Amino acid sequence: MSRIAIAPARTLGTIDRCVFGGFVEHLGRCIYGGLYEEGSPRADERGFRQDVLGLLRELRLGALRWPGGNFVSNYHWTDGIGPKAERPRRPELAWGGEEPNTFGTDEFLAYCAELGAEPYICLNMGTGTLAEALAWVEYCNSARHTAWASRRRANGRDEPYGVRYWALGNEMYGQWQVGMMTADEYVREATRWARAIRMLDPQARLVACGETGLTEWDAVVIDGLAGLVDYHSVHIYTGSDDYWTNVLQPHQAERAIRTTAALIDRTAYLQRLDRKPAIAYDEWNVWYRTVPENTGSENTGTVDLAERYTFDDALAVATYLNIFIRNCDRVRLANLAQMVNAIAPIVTTEETAAVQPIYYPFLLHARAALDAGVDVHVDGPVISPELPPGASRWPHRVADLGPFTLVDAAASVSTDRGRIAVTLVNRDPGAAEQARLVLRDFVFAGPADVTTLTDGGTVTSSAVTSGTGPATGALAVGLPPRSFTVVEAPIAAGRFA
């Protein structure tokens, strides 16, 4: 039996819908042959595949990040605007292919409008220049009659797009990145860019390029840029063939968030900052089967990272999202990498689009999450499994974070505290677990809707009541082995003895 104690009045922070964000990069078949396929019977006149668009709409994405990723460090945005027949074809240095530039800025922003998602553009700090970045911001956001704003109008868009989120480069710390920099070099360059972009567009929300939240790079960048940016980014992927490593490794994200937040707090204190940057966890996923060196030869353009996911991976994704809700006071933006074909919840063929197991926990989380995260404590069986060294391609150590509860939990409430949503991951591979949800100073004001996802490939819903009276402060929920469960219910202030 696991006792899940929930305090609806103890708010951890508001939940920004942008934590349910996605990421699409010019990588493999993510864009071309994925969400965009000119001439396909599945696509509209703009080349947007309607089957993919429909599946992405279901996820209610708060934000969509583009165009990279590693791709962006040699991407020149002006290649991707204007008449498509006049757009140049370029060598693509990050993944070894060719870029036709038929999907560019206007196509991306039209796609975001179709999804109802905030566009999040990553700037090229590899081969790009500050002047090029400013021109991109002007093209997207200026209402003036200046050169690049006028170019946007000539290309068919009269009103500014109002792009709020702009990343100052991608993974500039990595030797795989075109234009790799040291942390000090990056701070000097990003300082110039941040100040200039704010002069052009004071409403821009700027994201500094962080690493894992745990490194010297992060410390130097936070010290140098905390007063100039709105977010510090974190990138951590996990995954392993070993079951326990796979489902527990996402807890490294919790360590990364805590450490990044502490670095930000320290800098804010020492520099007397009135406003602290939030955390943008703008690349995360389970990814370990398809590594670039195993998916194609150099410069063949065949790298696609077409990961094929299992239900165990879905449990890891559900845990990531629990972690973001538990840390919603600091994590204000998060992007699942990626969305179509490349390490993605959606895969396509010429004839159809289908979803992988990791699609469903994202779908259920995004549908259920309410306005604010609240305090949750799990008291129940714990585990400290043997995690074999070398079981994961990723170096993240998590055994020292244990023991881990078998059930991982998060909860959110509506602003008026009239509804609650609880998300539960039962990681026991062989046994069901009984969960008793206990509210503090609140009662369940009616039946609860319970949705459970198992490896049977189906989602089942039912109404569950607990106790003998019309209102009770406790609810019993059965959790199948290896399952993800969402409990949604009306609540009201009150005490239950």
Side-chain angles (χ1 to χ4, degrees), residues 247-262:
V247 299
L248 295 177
Q249 210 172 38
H251 286 286
Q252 182 71 358
E254 209 140 27
R255 190 206 311 264
I257 293 164
R258 286 198 304 267
T259 305
T260 305

mmCIF file of all heavy atoms in Angstrom, residues 247-262:
data_model
loop_
_atom_site.group_PDB
_atom_site.id
_atom_site.type_symbol
_atom_site.label_atom_id
_atom_site.label_comp_id
_atom_site.label_asym_id
_atom_site.label_seq_id
_atom_site.Cartn_x
_atom_site.Cartn_y
_atom_site.Cartn_z
ATOM 1 N N VAL A 247 13.768 3.329 -16.165
ATOM 2 C CA VAL A 247 12.634 4.009 -15.540
ATOM 3 C C VAL A 247 13.052 4.939 -14.406
ATOM 4 O O VAL A 247 12.271 5.818 -14.017
ATOM 5 C CB VAL A 247 11.572 3.006 -15.042
ATOM 6 C CG1 VAL A 247 11.026 2.190 -16.201
ATOM 7 C CG2 VAL A 247 12.112 2.110 -13.939
ATOM 8 N N LEU A 248 14.276 4.774 -13.881
ATOM 9 C CA LEU A 248 14.712 5.632 -12.774
ATOM 10 C C LEU A 248 15.638 6.761 -13.220
ATOM 11 O O LEU A 248 15.767 7.766 -12.517
ATOM 12 C CB LEU A 248 15.420 4.790 -11.704
ATOM 13 C CG LEU A 248 14.564 3.761 -10.979
ATOM 14 C CD1 LEU A 248 15.415 2.953 -9.996
ATOM 15 C CD2 LEU A 248 13.391 4.416 -10.251
ATOM 16 N N GLN A 249 16.282 6.604 -14.367
ATOM 17 C CA GLN A 249 17.255 7.619 -14.789
ATOM 18 C C GLN A 249 16.655 9.019 -14.981
ATOM 19 O O GLN A 249 17.365 10.013 -14.814
ATOM 20 C CB GLN A 249 17.979 7.165 -16.053
ATOM 21 C CG GLN A 249 19.394 7.696 -16.165
ATOM 22 C CD GLN A 249 20.162 7.076 -17.321
ATOM 23 O OE1 GLN A 249 19.617 6.837 -18.393
ATOM 24 N NE2 GLN A 249 21.442 6.813 -17.102
ATOM 25 N N PRO A 250 15.361 9.169 -15.300
ATOM 26 C CA PRO A 250 14.808 10.528 -15.359
ATOM 27 C C PRO A 250 14.961 11.319 -14.069
ATOM 28 O O PRO A 250 14.909 12.562 -14.100
ATOM 29 C CB PRO A 250 13.330 10.284 -15.699
ATOM 30 C CG PRO A 250 13.340 9.028 -16.507
ATOM 31 C CD PRO A 250 14.398 8.185 -15.835
ATOM 32 N N HIS A 251 15.174 10.659 -12.942
ATOM 33 C CA HIS A 251 15.360 11.405 -11.695
ATOM 34 C C HIS A 251 16.639 12.249 -11.719
ATOM 35 O O HIS A 251 16.803 13.148 -10.894
ATOM 36 C CB HIS A 251 15.367 10.457 -10.497
ATOM 37 C CG HIS A 251 13.998 9.932 -10.175
ATOM 38 N ND1 HIS A 251 13.031 10.713 -9.581
ATOM 39 C CD2 HIS A 251 13.429 8.719 -10.386
ATOM 40 C CE1 HIS A 251 11.925 10.006 -9.431
ATOM 41 N NE2 HIS A 251 12.140 8.795 -9.917
ATOM 42 N N GLN A 252 17.531 11.961 -12.681
ATOM 43 C CA GLN A 252 18.676 12.847 -12.862
ATOM 44 C C GLN A 252 18.199 14.251 -13.222
ATOM 45 O O GLN A 252 18.864 15.246 -12.883
ATOM 46 C CB GLN A 252 19.598 12.307 -13.961
ATOM 47 C CG GLN A 252 20.847 13.135 -14.205
ATOM 48 C CD GLN A 252 21.850 13.013 -13.074
ATOM 49 O OE1 GLN A 252 21.618 12.341 -12.086
ATOM 50 N NE2 GLN A 252 22.990 13.666 -13.214
ATOM 51 N N ALA A 253 17.061 14.338 -13.895
ATOM 52 C CA ALA A 253 16.495 15.649 -14.228
ATOM 53 C C ALA A 253 16.168 16.426 -12.955
ATOM 54 O O ALA A 253 16.357 17.650 -12.908
ATOM 55 C CB ALA A 253 15.247 15.482 -15.079
ATOM 56 N N GLU A 254 15.687 15.730 -11.937
ATOM 57 C CA GLU A 254 15.358 16.411 -10.686
ATOM 58 C C GLU A 254 16.619 16.966 -10.030
ATOM 59 O O GLU A 254 16.628 18.079 -9.503
ATOM 60 C CB GLU A 254 14.632 15.450 -9.746
ATOM 61 C CG GLU A 254 13.685 16.132 -8.803
ATOM 62 C CD GLU A 254 12.393 15.360 -8.608
ATOM 63 O OE1 GLU A 254 12.387 14.122 -8.756
ATOM 64 O OE2 GLU A 254 11.382 16.005 -8.288
ATOM 65 N N ARG A 255 17.700 16.194 -10.076
ATOM 66 C CA ARG A 255 18.969 16.694 -9.548
ATOM 67 C C ARG A 255 19.445 17.907 -10.348
ATOM 68 O O ARG A 255 19.891 18.906 -9.786
ATOM 69 C CB ARG A 255 20.035 15.593 -9.598
ATOM 70 C CG ARG A 255 21.303 15.975 -8.830
ATOM 71 C CD ARG A 255 22.561 15.261 -9.338
ATOM 72 N NE ARG A 255 22.460 13.847 -9.514
ATOM 73 C CZ ARG A 255 22.850 12.921 -8.622
ATOM 74 N NH1 ARG A 255 23.346 13.282 -7.450
ATOM 75 N NH2 ARG A 255 22.751 11.636 -8.903
ATOM 76 N N ALA A 256 19.335 17.819 -11.674
ATOM 77 C CA ALA A 256 19.768 18.921 -12.526
ATOM 78 C C ALA A 256 18.977 20.189 -12.247
ATOM 79 O O ALA A 256 19.535 21.299 -12.208
ATOM 80 C CB ALA A 256 19.623 18.520 -13.994
ATOM 81 N N ILE A 257 17.676 20.044 -12.045
ATOM 82 C CA ILE A 257 16.836 21.208 -11.750
ATOM 83 C C ILE A 257 17.227 21.826 -10.418
ATOM 84 O O ILE A 257 17.358 23.057 -10.306
ATOM 85 C CB ILE A 257 15.346 20.810 -11.765
ATOM 86 C CG1 ILE A 257 14.919 20.433 -13.188
ATOM 87 C CG2 ILE A 257 14.472 21.942 -11.224
ATOM 88 C CD1 ILE A 257 13.611 19.671 -13.246
ATOM 89 N N ARG A 258 17.418 20.993 -9.413
ATOM 90 C CA ARG A 258 17.806 21.516 -8.094
ATOM 91 C C ARG A 258 19.142 22.244 -8.166
ATOM 92 O O ARG A 258 19.309 23.330 -7.591
ATOM 93 C CB ARG A 258 17.911 20.371 -7.078
ATOM 94 C CG ARG A 258 16.605 19.804 -6.597
ATOM 95 C CD ARG A 258 16.782 19.012 -5.316
ATOM 96 N NE ARG A 258 17.768 17.950 -5.440
ATOM 97 C CZ ARG A 258 17.481 16.693 -5.765
ATOM 98 N NH1 ARG A 258 16.227 16.349 -6.023
ATOM 99 N NH2 ARG A 258 18.426 15.777 -5.845
ATOM 100 N N THR A 259 20.098 21.653 -8.862
ATOM 101 C CA THR A 259 21.431 22.254 -8.945
ATOM 102 C C THR A 259 21.396 23.557 -9.738
ATOM 103 O O THR A 259 21.998 24.562 -9.337
ATOM 104 C CB THR A 259 22.418 21.266 -9.592
ATOM 105 O OG1 THR A 259 22.395 20.040 -8.859
ATOM 106 C CG2 THR A 259 23.831 21.815 -9.573
ATOM 107 N N THR A 260 20.697 23.550 -10.863
ATOM 108 C CA THR A 260 20.581 24.771 -11.666
ATOM 109 C C THR A 260 19.900 25.875 -10.868
ATOM 110 O O THR A 260 20.331 27.037 -10.891
ATOM 111 C CB THR A 260 19.790 24.491 -12.955
ATOM 112 O OG1 THR A 260 20.409 23.421 -13.660
ATOM 113 C CG2 THR A 260 19.749 25.722 -13.847
ATOM 114 N N ALA A 261 18.833 25.521 -10.162
ATOM 115 C CA ALA A 261 18.126 26.515 -9.351
ATOM 116 C C ALA A 261 19.037 27.093 -8.279
ATOM 117 O O ALA A 261 19.009 28.305 -8.007
ATOM 118 C CB ALA A 261 16.889 25.885 -8.717
ATOM 119 N N ALA A 262 19.870 26.241 -7.676
ATOM 120 C CA ALA A 262 20.797 26.731 -6.640
ATOM 121 C C ALA A 262 21.833 27.674 -7.240
ATOM 122 O O ALA A 262 22.171 28.710 -6.635
ATOM 123 C CB ALA A 262 21.484 25.556 -5.959
#
